[in-house]
């Protein structure tokens, strides 16, 4: 997984061995290397993201452990928590454009919203019947689109937690979604 920092000069990557690296795009050099403290064993980094306001860098392991660092000082881990139940896989994690929430999605069939002030669970979206693979926020952070192994994508109103629309027509797992509403 990779994510471009808002300054457009750096990219964040995560790898199978559990490393997170920040790269200078101009020189190609690694300028920061962090290894999340994982117990009992290392897990691969499934997704990384950077808040649009450049406050947070997030990484999530395939075993649903989330790590959050200060984007200005990546040696400072701000939070670490389990996003989905033991035994569930986490498949994606993305910061909202307004940087107020992080969404995680997983094999437990849910998308979970985490408050970025406290890093506590603020909402669980649980209307898919199988794994949720991806999620993306709209430009103003008020809606979310999710994709699932139940062959659907769904548009959620985050104020109410309700599904506004279902996108049905895929004959197999919907593994990714993108949204352009700006």
């Amino acid at each position: 997984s990779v994510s471009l920092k808002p300054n457009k000069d750096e990219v964040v990557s995560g790898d199978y061995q559990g490393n997170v690296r920040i790269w200078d795009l101009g020189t190609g050099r690694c300028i920061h290397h962090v290894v999340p403290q994982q117990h009992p064993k290392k897990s691969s980094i499934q997704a990384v993201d950077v808040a649009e306001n450049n406050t947070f860098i997030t990484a999530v392991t395939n075993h649903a452990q989330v790590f959050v660092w200060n984007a200005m000082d990546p040696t400072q881990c701000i939070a670490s928590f389990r996003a989905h139940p033991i035994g569930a896989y986490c498949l994606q994690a993305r910061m909202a454009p307004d940087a107020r929430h992080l969404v995680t999605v997983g094999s437990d069939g849910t998308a979970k919203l985490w408050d970025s002030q406290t890093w506590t669970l603020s909402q669980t979206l649980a209307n898919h019947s199988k794994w949720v693979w991806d999620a993306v926020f709209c430009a103003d952070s008020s809606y979310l689109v999710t994709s699932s192994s139940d062959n659907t994508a769904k548009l959620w109103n985050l104020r109410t937690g309700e599904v506004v629309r279902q996108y049905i027509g895929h004959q197999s797992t919907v593994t990714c979604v993108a949204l352009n509403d700006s």
Side-chain angles (χ1 to χ4, degrees):
S1 177
V2 296
S3 182
L4 186 65
K5 285 187 75 179
N7 63 10
K8 311 277 192 260
D9 293 334
E10 298 167 357
V11 66
V12 179
S13 64
D15 69 26
Y16 186 76
Q17 294 181 332
N19 298 290
V20 175
R21 296 177 192 266
I22 302 171
W23 305 88
D24 182 299
L25 282 177
T27 66
R29 289 188 10 246
C30 178
I31 55 177
H32 292 286
H33 174 211
V34 293
V35 181
Q37 297 298 315
Q38 300 182 39
H39 301 286
K41 62 180 181 172
K42 276 190 175 181
S43 298
S44 66
I45 301 297
Q46 189 68 25
V48 293
D49 201 10
V50 181
E52 285 186 22
N53 65 2
N54 205 29
T55 52
F56 307 116
I57 295 172
T58 60
V60 64
T61 70
N62 57 338
H63 291 292
Q65 190 69 28
V66 173
F67 299 93
V68 183
W69 294 275
N70 178 331
M72 303 313 284
D73 178 9
T75 61
Q76 182 185 356
C77 186
I78 297 170
S80 174
F81 58 92
R82 175 169 289 285
H84 294 263
I86 292 174
Y89 294 104
C90 193
L91 303 169
Q92 184 60 269
R94 294 185 198 258
M95 288 297 303
D98 66 6
R100 296 170 114 184
H101 289 95
L102 172 75
V103 64
T104 60
V105 298
S107 63
D108 61 349
T110 66
K112 296 186 179 211
L113 290 168
W114 303 89
D115 182 302
S116 68
Q117 296 299 308
T118 61
W119 298 107
T120 57
L121 182 65
S122 62
Q123 193 171 24
T124 300
L125 306 174
N127 195 286
H128 283 289
S129 60
K130 295 184 178 178
W131 290 30
V132 180
W133 286 82
D134 198 9
V136 63
F137 288 94
C138 71
D140 72 358
S141 304
S142 63
Y143 290 87
L144 185 78
V145 180
T146 55
S147 65
S148 173
S149 294
D150 65 10
N151 304 351
T152 68
K154 295 184 181 191
L155 174 67
W156 303 80
N157 179 328
L158 296 179
R159 289 185 190 97
T160 65
E162 300 295 320
V163 174
V164 175
R165 189 160 288 116
Q166 289 192 80
Y167 303 97
I168 301 170
H170 285 276
Q171 301 304 307
S172 62
T173 297
V174 184
T175 57
C176 55
V177 287
L179 176 64
N180 183 358
D181 68 335
S182 54

